[in-house]
Amino acid sequence: EGGGAMAAAGAEPAGPGSLAVLGPVPGAPSCPHGPALLFVKTSQGKEEGRRFYACSACRDRKDCNFFQWEDEKVSETRLAAREEYNRNHHPPFTHRQNVDRYKNFVMLPLSKRRFCQECQQLLLPAEWEKHSDHQFLCDITTAQLKSPSQLLHPLENKKTNAQYLFADRSCRFLLNLLRDLGFRRVLSVGTPRLHEMIQSRASQEEEFSVRSLLLDIDFRYSQFYTEDEFCHYNMFNHHFFGGEAARETCRKFLYEENGERVIMVTDPPFGGLVEALASSFKKLMAMWKETEKEGHDNKEMPMFWIFPYFFESRILDFFPSFSMMDYQVDYDNHTLYKHGKTGRRQSPVRIFTNLTPSMIVLPEEEGYRFCTVCERYVSSGNQHCEICNSCTSKDGRRWKHCVLCKKCVKPSWFHCNNCNCCTLQKHSCEKSAVGCFVCGKAGHKRSACPSLSRT
Ligand code: SAH
Ligand code: ZN
Ligand code: ZN
Ligand code: ZN
Ligand code: ZN
């Protein structure tokens, strides 16, 4: 975009309150990441100010500065400039070209197989010159080509695109679980490491019959997979960058030929936008449903949505048929979530699924046990509460029941009589959502209470 858009971006609503996504709407303008999403600033649940379009994939203006007011009149010249800009912001090679390059690359002797670390690209000998002052890796083995998630460096954009790769243990657990459940096809949405594990086992073991299709916005993966194995996809607006052909690849994959059952596994960035994700996942589910004439008897496409436990209520808002499993998903490159050598760091990341919870068998050797009342596997620390009649812990620690709140709460909480609920020991009562400590009304703190200003 030209300077006009930059200026508009500067006028973007700022300050407290939060942003709500009004969704992917028909006729939305596009940026290089596909159709933009319509947003509005909200304050206490109410819309405030002008609605605007912004990039669906990048929350950092540095990565994509697309911005347009909903009611803004965009001139023909600016529209043309925008189209030109979108065209020029394609990756250097197409997926097709990358597939051909790969074919040439694997025919090279080991000594000629280089990977440019700066450009994150496999290099053919004719291109060495151009990258001569870049860092590169030599002697790229077939094993390395089969583990692109190890070769590529994880994207680190803090705001939305950080890539957190499954620890081997968690990845193997997921794969064994879905195999035990009888699934033969995995739609891997933002799970390159699971995809890679499936691909490499399928190429090595004859009796391994699971297949995977990776949908991800990280186009670097197109260097390693064919168009039948990878689609460049944006999960915030359900956009297939490869157009109708890519969409068709996905549709074909979802069609359960020879009774090969499909499951979708997704591990989206945690930066929020749950409503945008849910809207895309519903479209993928609809795609699955349409592949079957009988419409799958009102069934939903089986799904694992991997996400932090504190998003539970948000996810259930959109998918009431889902439940949260206690299994803690671990990551390699996430310092907070990864298992320590001594004692275990608790990961907040869980599996949400529409499969029957009792079918999701969690490993007893890692401390999970089956609760016969709840009919699901739970963390060892998760005690069944007789009063709630459920295993209530969300974070794996033992929670305690509060008779006043009539529910179980975190072990570190206590019941505050001012706030009339359980909360952290250290808190200021006036901040409570219940309302002002003095008059009980919401919307102001004790220090600003109008009933005190009379004095
Ligand atoms: N744990 C997973 C990786 C999760 S990180 C694994 O090990 O396989 C989040 C993934 O989502 C990354 O692969 C990232 O490239 C992808 N992603 C981020 N934003 C996306 C978007 N808008 N559309 C599709 N994929 C996206
Ligand atoms: Zn380079
Ligand atoms: Zn229980
Ligand atoms: Zn309880
Ligand atoms: Zn309480």
Side-chain angles (χ1 to χ4, degrees), residues 74-102:
V74 185
S75 71
E76 290 295 324
T77 356
R78 237 183 90 199
L79 277 180
R82 185 184 284 169
E83 261 170 44
E84 169 83 14
Y85 178 89
N86 290 349
R87 262 198 306 279
N88 292 338
H89 273 71
H90 283 165
F93 297 106
T94 64
H95 194 166
R96 188 89 287 261
Q97 284 170 324
N98 274 338
V99 172
D100 287 336
R101 291 167 59 79
Y102 184 87

mmCIF file of all heavy atoms in Angstrom, residues 74-102:
data_model
loop_
_atom_site.group_PDB
_atom_site.id
_atom_site.type_symbol
_atom_site.label_atom_id
_atom_site.label_comp_id
_atom_site.label_asym_id
_atom_site.label_seq_id
_atom_site.Cartn_x
_atom_site.Cartn_y
_atom_site.Cartn_z
ATOM 1 N N VAL A 74 -12.359 3.840 -1.589
ATOM 2 C CA VAL A 74 -10.998 3.642 -2.078
ATOM 3 C C VAL A 74 -10.932 3.975 -3.561
ATOM 4 O O VAL A 74 -11.690 3.421 -4.353
ATOM 5 C CB VAL A 74 -10.529 2.192 -1.827
ATOM 6 C CG1 VAL A 74 -9.079 2.014 -2.231
ATOM 7 C CG2 VAL A 74 -10.713 1.825 -0.360
ATOM 8 N N SER A 75 -10.026 4.863 -3.913
ATOM 9 C CA SER A 75 -9.940 5.316 -5.304
ATOM 10 C C SER A 75 -9.450 4.212 -6.234
ATOM 11 O O SER A 75 -8.799 3.270 -5.796
ATOM 12 C CB SER A 75 -8.983 6.508 -5.410
ATOM 13 O OG SER A 75 -7.653 6.057 -5.204
ATOM 14 N N GLU A 76 -9.777 4.339 -7.519
ATOM 15 C CA GLU A 76 -9.349 3.371 -8.534
ATOM 16 C C GLU A 76 -7.834 3.224 -8.538
ATOM 17 O O GLU A 76 -7.310 2.121 -8.638
ATOM 18 C CB GLU A 76 -9.810 3.825 -9.929
ATOM 19 C CG GLU A 76 -11.308 3.733 -10.164
ATOM 20 C CD GLU A 76 -11.835 2.290 -10.144
ATOM 21 O OE1 GLU A 76 -11.093 1.391 -10.616
ATOM 22 O OE2 GLU A 76 -12.958 2.063 -9.648
ATOM 23 N N THR A 77 -7.135 4.334 -8.410
ATOM 24 C CA THR A 77 -5.671 4.298 -8.441
ATOM 25 C C THR A 77 -5.138 3.492 -7.255
ATOM 26 O O THR A 77 -4.210 2.706 -7.403
ATOM 27 C CB THR A 77 -5.078 5.728 -8.344
ATOM 28 O OG1 THR A 77 -6.128 6.667 -8.343
ATOM 29 C CG2 THR A 77 -4.090 5.979 -9.452
ATOM 30 N N ARG A 78 -5.744 3.721 -6.109
ATOM 31 C CA ARG A 78 -5.263 2.996 -4.941
ATOM 32 C C ARG A 78 -5.577 1.506 -5.049
ATOM 33 O O ARG A 78 -4.777 0.670 -4.654
ATOM 34 C CB ARG A 78 -5.869 3.574 -3.655
ATOM 35 C CG ARG A 78 -4.782 4.032 -2.672
ATOM 36 C CD ARG A 78 -5.371 4.536 -1.389
ATOM 37 N NE ARG A 78 -5.523 3.481 -0.400
ATOM 38 C CZ ARG A 78 -6.340 3.570 0.656
ATOM 39 N NH1 ARG A 78 -7.066 4.637 0.845
ATOM 40 N NH2 ARG A 78 -6.396 2.587 1.515
ATOM 41 N N LEU A 79 -6.766 1.187 -5.602
ATOM 42 C CA LEU A 79 -7.122 -0.220 -5.804
ATOM 43 C C LEU A 79 -6.123 -0.903 -6.725
ATOM 44 O O LEU A 79 -5.666 -2.015 -6.458
ATOM 45 C CB LEU A 79 -8.526 -0.329 -6.413
ATOM 46 C CG LEU A 79 -9.692 -0.264 -5.421
ATOM 47 C CD1 LEU A 79 -11.017 -0.381 -6.179
ATOM 48 C CD2 LEU A 79 -9.576 -1.374 -4.378
ATOM 49 N N ALA A 80 -5.752 -0.194 -7.811
ATOM 50 C CA ALA A 80 -4.802 -0.754 -8.774
ATOM 51 C C ALA A 80 -3.450 -0.955 -8.101
ATOM 52 O O ALA A 80 -2.793 -1.983 -8.286
ATOM 53 C CB ALA A 80 -4.684 0.166 -9.983
ATOM 54 N N ALA A 81 -3.051 0.040 -7.304
ATOM 55 C CA ALA A 81 -1.756 -0.045 -6.613
ATOM 56 C C ALA A 81 -1.759 -1.225 -5.647
ATOM 57 O O ALA A 81 -0.767 -1.945 -5.500
ATOM 58 C CB ALA A 81 -1.478 1.260 -5.863
ATOM 59 N N ARG A 82 -2.902 -1.416 -5.003
ATOM 60 C CA ARG A 82 -3.004 -2.504 -4.036
ATOM 61 C C ARG A 82 -2.892 -3.858 -4.731
ATOM 62 O O ARG A 82 -2.190 -4.757 -4.267
ATOM 63 C CB ARG A 82 -4.350 -2.389 -3.313
ATOM 64 C CG ARG A 82 -4.530 -3.395 -2.204
ATOM 65 C CD ARG A 82 -5.918 -3.296 -1.604
ATOM 66 N NE ARG A 82 -6.071 -2.142 -0.735
ATOM 67 C CZ ARG A 82 -7.250 -1.719 -0.272
ATOM 68 N NH1 ARG A 82 -8.346 -2.353 -0.608
ATOM 69 N NH2 ARG A 82 -7.307 -0.688 0.520
ATOM 70 N N GLU A 83 -3.576 -3.982 -5.874
ATOM 71 C CA GLU A 83 -3.508 -5.239 -6.622
ATOM 72 C C GLU A 83 -2.086 -5.535 -7.063
ATOM 73 O O GLU A 83 -1.612 -6.665 -6.961
ATOM 74 C CB GLU A 83 -4.436 -5.191 -7.838
ATOM 75 C CG GLU A 83 -5.750 -5.903 -7.560
ATOM 76 C CD GLU A 83 -6.775 -5.672 -8.645
ATOM 77 O OE1 GLU A 83 -6.403 -5.754 -9.838
ATOM 78 O OE2 GLU A 83 -7.942 -5.395 -8.290
ATOM 79 N N GLU A 84 -1.432 -4.495 -7.521
ATOM 80 C CA GLU A 84 -0.043 -4.595 -7.945
ATOM 81 C C GLU A 84 0.823 -5.055 -6.760
ATOM 82 O O GLU A 84 1.632 -5.969 -6.867
ATOM 83 C CB GLU A 84 0.417 -3.214 -8.451
ATOM 84 C CG GLU A 84 1.903 -3.049 -8.683
ATOM 85 C CD GLU A 84 2.335 -3.593 -10.047
ATOM 86 O OE1 GLU A 84 1.451 -3.829 -10.878
ATOM 87 O OE2 GLU A 84 3.554 -3.789 -10.229
ATOM 88 N N TYR A 85 0.594 -4.439 -5.620
ATOM 89 C CA TYR A 85 1.348 -4.772 -4.411
ATOM 90 C C TYR A 85 1.125 -6.239 -4.021
ATOM 91 O O TYR A 85 2.068 -6.963 -3.737
ATOM 92 C CB TYR A 85 0.904 -3.847 -3.277
ATOM 93 C CG TYR A 85 1.580 -4.110 -1.950
ATOM 94 C CD1 TYR A 85 2.783 -3.476 -1.618
ATOM 95 C CD2 TYR A 85 1.019 -4.988 -1.024
ATOM 96 C CE1 TYR A 85 3.400 -3.705 -0.400
ATOM 97 C CE2 TYR A 85 1.634 -5.232 0.196
ATOM 98 C CZ TYR A 85 2.821 -4.588 0.507
ATOM 99 O OH TYR A 85 3.437 -4.833 1.706
ATOM 100 N N ASN A 86 -0.143 -6.669 -4.046
ATOM 101 C CA ASN A 86 -0.450 -8.057 -3.697
ATOM 102 C C ASN A 86 0.239 -9.039 -4.646
ATOM 103 O O ASN A 86 0.743 -10.079 -4.215
ATOM 104 C CB ASN A 86 -1.959 -8.309 -3.696
ATOM 105 C CG ASN A 86 -2.651 -7.606 -2.531
ATOM 106 O OD1 ASN A 86 -1.993 -7.101 -1.619
ATOM 107 N ND2 ASN A 86 -3.973 -7.575 -2.564
ATOM 108 N N ARG A 87 0.238 -8.682 -5.927
ATOM 109 C CA ARG A 87 0.897 -9.546 -6.922
ATOM 110 C C ARG A 87 2.390 -9.652 -6.651
ATOM 111 O O ARG A 87 2.981 -10.714 -6.773
ATOM 112 C CB ARG A 87 0.681 -8.991 -8.335
ATOM 113 C CG ARG A 87 -0.448 -9.661 -9.100
ATOM 114 C CD ARG A 87 -0.336 -9.408 -10.604
ATOM 115 N NE ARG A 87 -0.233 -7.982 -10.934
ATOM 116 C CZ ARG A 87 -1.279 -7.159 -11.006
ATOM 117 N NH1 ARG A 87 -2.493 -7.623 -10.788
ATOM 118 N NH2 ARG A 87 -1.126 -5.887 -11.304
ATOM 119 N N ASN A 88 2.998 -8.532 -6.269
ATOM 120 C CA ASN A 88 4.452 -8.513 -6.055
ATOM 121 C C ASN A 88 4.873 -9.141 -4.739
ATOM 122 O O ASN A 88 6.048 -9.315 -4.488
ATOM 123 C CB ASN A 88 4.978 -7.083 -6.106
ATOM 124 C CG ASN A 88 4.862 -6.511 -7.501
ATOM 125 O OD1 ASN A 88 4.780 -7.274 -8.474
ATOM 126 N ND2 ASN A 88 4.812 -5.189 -7.597
ATOM 127 N N HIS A 89 3.902 -9.400 -3.895
ATOM 128 C CA HIS A 89 4.281 -9.975 -2.609
ATOM 129 C C HIS A 89 4.109 -11.478 -2.539
ATOM 130 O O HIS A 89 3.892 -12.046 -1.482
ATOM 131 C CB HIS A 89 3.567 -9.260 -1.467
ATOM 132 C CG HIS A 89 4.357 -8.069 -1.037
ATOM 133 N ND1 HIS A 89 4.454 -6.947 -1.833
ATOM 134 C CD2 HIS A 89 5.140 -7.840 0.035
ATOM 135 C CE1 HIS A 89 5.247 -6.075 -1.247
ATOM 136 N NE2 HIS A 89 5.681 -6.590 -0.117
ATOM 137 N N HIS A 90 4.231 -12.097 -3.679
ATOM 138 C CA HIS A 90 4.249 -13.555 -3.714
ATOM 139 C C HIS A 90 5.648 -14.037 -3.389
ATOM 140 O O HIS A 90 6.620 -13.323 -3.580
ATOM 141 C CB HIS A 90 3.823 -14.054 -5.094
ATOM 142 C CG HIS A 90 2.339 -13.974 -5.290
ATOM 143 N ND1 HIS A 90 1.742 -14.070 -6.515
ATOM 144 C CD2 HIS A 90 1.337 -13.813 -4.394
ATOM 145 C CE1 HIS A 90 0.424 -13.963 -6.368
ATOM 146 N NE2 HIS A 90 0.166 -13.811 -5.097
ATOM 147 N N PRO A 91 5.754 -15.292 -2.900
ATOM 148 C CA PRO A 91 7.089 -15.851 -2.644
ATOM 149 C C PRO A 91 7.889 -15.935 -3.951
ATOM 150 O O PRO A 91 7.287 -15.929 -5.029
ATOM 151 C CB PRO A 91 6.779 -17.258 -2.113
ATOM 152 C CG PRO A 91 5.320 -17.269 -1.766
ATOM 153 C CD PRO A 91 4.669 -16.218 -2.586
ATOM 154 N N PRO A 92 9.225 -16.006 -3.853
ATOM 155 C CA PRO A 92 10.069 -15.978 -5.054
ATOM 156 C C PRO A 92 9.783 -17.114 -6.030
ATOM 157 O O PRO A 92 9.907 -16.929 -7.236
ATOM 158 C CB PRO A 92 11.489 -16.086 -4.502
ATOM 159 C CG PRO A 92 11.350 -16.562 -3.092
ATOM 160 C CD PRO A 92 10.031 -16.061 -2.628
ATOM 161 N N PHE A 93 9.431 -18.277 -5.533
ATOM 162 C CA PHE A 93 9.088 -19.392 -6.420
ATOM 163 C C PHE A 93 7.668 -19.857 -6.150
ATOM 164 O O PHE A 93 7.185 -19.739 -5.030
ATOM 165 C CB PHE A 93 10.034 -20.589 -6.187
ATOM 166 C CG PHE A 93 11.466 -20.300 -6.512
ATOM 167 C CD1 PHE A 93 12.393 -20.129 -5.483
ATOM 168 C CD2 PHE A 93 11.900 -20.212 -7.831
ATOM 169 C CE1 PHE A 93 13.726 -19.858 -5.768
ATOM 170 C CE2 PHE A 93 13.233 -19.940 -8.115
ATOM 171 C CZ PHE A 93 14.152 -19.763 -7.084
ATOM 172 N N THR A 94 7.036 -20.406 -7.170
ATOM 173 C CA THR A 94 5.715 -21.005 -6.955
ATOM 174 C C THR A 94 5.911 -22.392 -6.342
ATOM 175 O O THR A 94 7.017 -22.940 -6.350
ATOM 176 C CB THR A 94 4.946 -21.164 -8.281
ATOM 177 O OG1 THR A 94 5.677 -22.086 -9.099
ATOM 178 C CG2 THR A 94 4.794 -19.836 -8.994
ATOM 179 N N HIS A 95 4.810 -22.959 -5.853
ATOM 180 C CA HIS A 95 4.896 -24.311 -5.290
ATOM 181 C C HIS A 95 5.384 -25.294 -6.353
ATOM 182 O O HIS A 95 6.255 -26.115 -6.114
ATOM 183 C CB HIS A 95 3.523 -24.720 -4.737
ATOM 184 C CG HIS A 95 3.561 -25.918 -3.844
ATOM 185 N ND1 HIS A 95 2.517 -26.283 -3.041
ATOM 186 C CD2 HIS A 95 4.526 -26.848 -3.615
ATOM 187 C CE1 HIS A 95 2.835 -27.382 -2.360
ATOM 188 N NE2 HIS A 95 4.046 -27.745 -2.698
ATOM 189 N N ARG A 96 4.813 -25.168 -7.558
ATOM 190 C CA ARG A 96 5.218 -26.036 -8.677
ATOM 191 C C ARG A 96 6.722 -25.953 -8.927
ATOM 192 O O ARG A 96 7.418 -26.957 -9.045
ATOM 193 C CB ARG A 96 4.449 -25.599 -9.941
ATOM 194 C CG ARG A 96 4.588 -26.486 -11.159
ATOM 195 C CD ARG A 96 3.548 -27.586 -11.176
ATOM 196 N NE ARG A 96 3.786 -28.655 -10.199
ATOM 197 C CZ ARG A 96 4.351 -29.807 -10.486
ATOM 198 N NH1 ARG A 96 4.775 -30.059 -11.701
ATOM 199 N NH2 ARG A 96 4.503 -30.737 -9.570
ATOM 200 N N GLN A 97 7.225 -24.726 -8.980
ATOM 201 C CA GLN A 97 8.674 -24.537 -9.193
ATOM 202 C C GLN A 97 9.470 -25.181 -8.074
ATOM 203 O O GLN A 97 10.489 -25.824 -8.304
ATOM 204 C CB GLN A 97 9.009 -23.047 -9.277
ATOM 205 C CG GLN A 97 8.618 -22.416 -10.604
ATOM 206 C CD GLN A 97 8.723 -20.895 -10.577
ATOM 207 O OE1 GLN A 97 8.440 -20.261 -9.544
ATOM 208 N NE2 GLN A 97 9.111 -20.307 -11.693
ATOM 209 N N ASN A 98 8.983 -25.033 -6.849
ATOM 210 C CA ASN A 98 9.695 -25.624 -5.719
ATOM 211 C C ASN A 98 9.726 -27.149 -5.795
ATOM 212 O O ASN A 98 10.717 -27.780 -5.419
ATOM 213 C CB ASN A 98 9.076 -25.168 -4.390
ATOM 214 C CG ASN A 98 9.657 -23.844 -3.920
ATOM 215 O OD1 ASN A 98 10.765 -23.468 -4.325
ATOM 216 N ND2 ASN A 98 8.923 -23.139 -3.070
ATOM 217 N N VAL A 99 8.629 -27.730 -6.296
ATOM 218 C CA VAL A 99 8.595 -29.191 -6.437
ATOM 219 C C VAL A 99 9.637 -29.642 -7.462
ATOM 220 O O VAL A 99 10.372 -30.604 -7.247
ATOM 221 C CB VAL A 99 7.173 -29.663 -6.819
ATOM 222 C CG1 VAL A 99 7.160 -31.149 -7.166
ATOM 223 C CG2 VAL A 99 6.185 -29.367 -5.692
ATOM 224 N N ASP A 100 9.733 -28.901 -8.567
ATOM 225 C CA ASP A 100 10.745 -29.223 -9.583
ATOM 226 C C ASP A 100 12.155 -29.045 -9.039
ATOM 227 O O ASP A 100 13.045 -29.849 -9.301
ATOM 228 C CB ASP A 100 10.559 -28.336 -10.824
ATOM 229 C CG ASP A 100 9.327 -28.756 -11.623
ATOM 230 O OD1 ASP A 100 8.914 -29.934 -11.498
ATOM 231 O OD2 ASP A 100 8.781 -27.903 -12.350
ATOM 232 N N ARG A 101 12.344 -27.977 -8.290
ATOM 233 C CA ARG A 101 13.664 -27.719 -7.700
ATOM 234 C C ARG A 101 14.064 -28.866 -6.775
ATOM 235 O O ARG A 101 15.205 -29.299 -6.764
ATOM 236 C CB ARG A 101 13.646 -26.398 -6.919
ATOM 237 C CG ARG A 101 13.509 -25.156 -7.791
ATOM 238 C CD ARG A 101 13.187 -23.939 -6.947
ATOM 239 N NE ARG A 101 14.222 -23.691 -5.928
ATOM 240 C CZ ARG A 101 15.381 -23.104 -6.190
ATOM 241 N NH1 ARG A 101 15.637 -22.659 -7.399
ATOM 242 N NH2 ARG A 101 16.272 -22.947 -5.234
ATOM 243 N N TYR A 102 13.091 -29.352 -6.013
ATOM 244 C CA TYR A 102 13.367 -30.446 -5.087
ATOM 245 C C TYR A 102 13.833 -31.689 -5.842
ATOM 246 O O TYR A 102 14.794 -32.351 -5.449
ATOM 247 C CB TYR A 102 12.110 -30.756 -4.264
ATOM 248 C CG TYR A 102 12.287 -31.817 -3.200
ATOM 249 C CD1 TYR A 102 12.736 -31.488 -1.923
ATOM 250 C CD2 TYR A 102 11.994 -33.159 -3.472
ATOM 251 C CE1 TYR A 102 12.896 -32.458 -0.945
ATOM 252 C CE2 TYR A 102 12.152 -34.137 -2.501
ATOM 253 C CZ TYR A 102 12.598 -33.781 -1.240
ATOM 254 O OH TYR A 102 12.760 -34.737 -0.267
#
